[in-house]
Every structure is written in C-alpha cells, then in structure tokens.
Amino acid sequence: QVQVVESGGGLVQAGGSLRLSCAASGSIFSINTMAWYRQAPGKQRELVAAIRTGGSTNYADSVKGRFTVSRDNAKNTVYLQMNSLKPEDTAVYYCNLELRSTRGGVNFNRWGQGTQVTVSS
C-alpha cells in the first residue's frame, strides 16, 4: 500500500507565496515522475508542473517564471513553490506520483487528496 499526503494550501493575497508539499509513504521502490495538477471550479484538471527522476522539469505556460517544482528523493517528497500568486491560480491542487513498489514491478500512479489554494485580489 502507498499513501500520498499533501499539505501547504491556504488563503493568500495576490502577489503572495505558498509552498505545497506531497509526501509518499508505504511500499515504495522508486518514484519516477512527480507532478502537480490543479482544478478550478467548472474547469478541467490541468498539469501545472512535473519533475522527472533525472531532475528535468516542465511547466504550464501560465506559471512559468512564478512556480518552481522540486523533489527530495530521500523523503519521497515533491514540492511546489508558488510565488507572485494571482487570483486565477485559485484551485484545488493535486499531486500525482508515478511509482513502482518493487524492483521489476510495474509502474502505477497515485493521486494526493488535494489541497485548496485561494488567492484573493
């Protein structure tokens, strides 16, 4: 079993910052891609940022230059540092982890429970 727990959301004024964390625990052999998604009311869930095993990253155009994704492999944790927040960043943020439980096993994905980020104008 693998558990994925997010933390760090909240209410912040426009221009402020927040840092989200997503930690995995349980039967984990390796974690490949670690990603953050978000879903605003009435909209589809969208990819915000992702970081691969080797450290390469990609970002949605709307957050480039403002958000930074990073990972701590020793802690099985991925972070999303969000700066210069805008009201349009308001959404529920979810992490998604591509995991493997055993050497030679198959990859599978796990979602976090989501954390609300609200940016006031």
Side-chain angles (χ1 to χ4, degrees), residues 8-80:
L11 173 63
V12 64
Q13 288 189 332
S17 297
L18 283 174
R19 189 192 196 207
L20 306 183
S21 299
C22 171
S25 61
S27 180
I28 299 171
F29 173 74
S30 64
I31 304 178
N32 303 318
T33 301
M34 308 176 88
W36 288 96
Y37 288 75
R38 67 185 180 187
Q39 187 165 19
K43 295 188 177 181
Q44 288 189 330
R45 190 172 297 188
E46 64 173 355
L47 177 66
V48 175
I51 182 167
R52 294 164 190 79
T53 305
S56 63
T57 59
N58 63 281
Y59 296 91
D61 288 342
S62 59
V63 307
K64 283 181 181 176
R66 300 188 298 122
F67 289 13
T68 302
V69 61
S70 61
R71 62 190 289 167
D72 184 333
N73 293 326
K75 296 181 179 179
N76 291 331
T77 299
V78 60
Y79 304 97
L80 185 68

Side-chain angles (χ1 to χ4, degrees), residues 44-117:
Q44 288 189 330
R45 190 172 297 188
E46 64 173 355
L47 177 66
V48 175
I51 182 167
R52 294 164 190 79
T53 305
S56 63
T57 59
N58 63 281
Y59 296 91
D61 288 342
S62 59
V63 307
K64 283 181 181 176
R66 300 188 298 122
F67 289 13
T68 302
V69 61
S70 61
R71 62 190 289 167
D72 184 333
N73 293 326
K75 296 181 179 179
N76 291 331
T77 299
V78 60
Y79 304 97
L80 185 68
Q81 178 66 44
M82 305 185 293
N83 298 329
S84 302
L85 282 160
K86 304 175 181 180
E88 50 263 45
D89 294 318
T90 295
V92 178
Y93 284 70
Y94 299 89
C95 65
N96 180 274
L97 308 181
E98 184 184 25
L99 305 128
R100 185 175 294 184
S101 286
T102 60
R103 183 189 298 272
V106 298
N107 292 339
F108 60 94
N109 289 80
R110 283 290 183 269
W111 288 94
Q113 80 281 7
T115 185
Q116 177 70 46
V117 171

